[in-house]
Amino acid sequence: MNLHIKTFEQLSSTELYELLKARSAVFVVEQTCPYQDIDGGDYESLHVYLEEEGKLLAYLRCYVQDEHTARIGRMLTMERGKGLRRPLMEAGI
């Protein structure tokens, strides 16, 4: 399992596509919550995700407000019950 922390500019087009696809699958389709997920916040965020053999396992979007404050948003896991949230939260904080 590999942990990645990247700015928007560091994401490849394939990585960005996979992250947005997962967010849409979980937040819009699974949770039946139609809202504007692509909200412009991705540009100034850190994108923290776990993947294994090219498969996205978990993701969160983190806003760094200042050297002492970070805000977590858009957190998801593709495989629930496997303890994937903790490493993401620790990395995001």
Side-chain angles (χ1 to χ4, degrees):
M1 185 167 19
N2 300 304
L3 174 71
H4 302 275
I5 302 173
K6 297 185 176 189
T7 64
F8 182 82
E9 292 79 17
Q10 292 171 324
L11 292 169
S12 71
S13 57
T14 301
E15 289 169 322
L16 178 60
Y17 180 85
E18 291 301 318
L19 297 176
L20 293 174
K21 183 172 82 170
R23 284 172 28 185
S24 179
V26 171
F27 300 132
V28 179
V29 177
E30 183 180 312
Q31 296 179 1
T32 60
C33 184
Y35 67 95
Q36 186 65 40
D37 178 51
I38 301 173
D39 59 4
D42 293 309
Y43 294 119
E44 67 255 13
S45 299
L46 289 176
H47 301 271
V48 182
Y49 64 97
L50 292 168
E51 61 86 19
E52 190 167 59
E53 297 179 10
K55 181 181 174 191
L56 180 67
L57 301 175
Y59 166 81
L60 72 77
R61 184 168 83 169
C62 178
Y63 298 96
V64 178
Q65 293 179 323
D66 58 47
E67 65 183 70
H68 302 291
T69 309
R71 191 170 45 142
I72 304 295
R74 302 285 200 271
M75 183 171 192
L76 65 88
T77 58
M78 300 304 287
E79 298 181 15
R80 291 167 183 84
K82 297 198 177 200
L84 299 174
R85 290 179 189 225
R86 172 169 247 163
L88 281 182
M89 291 295 286
E90 289 173 352
I93 294 170

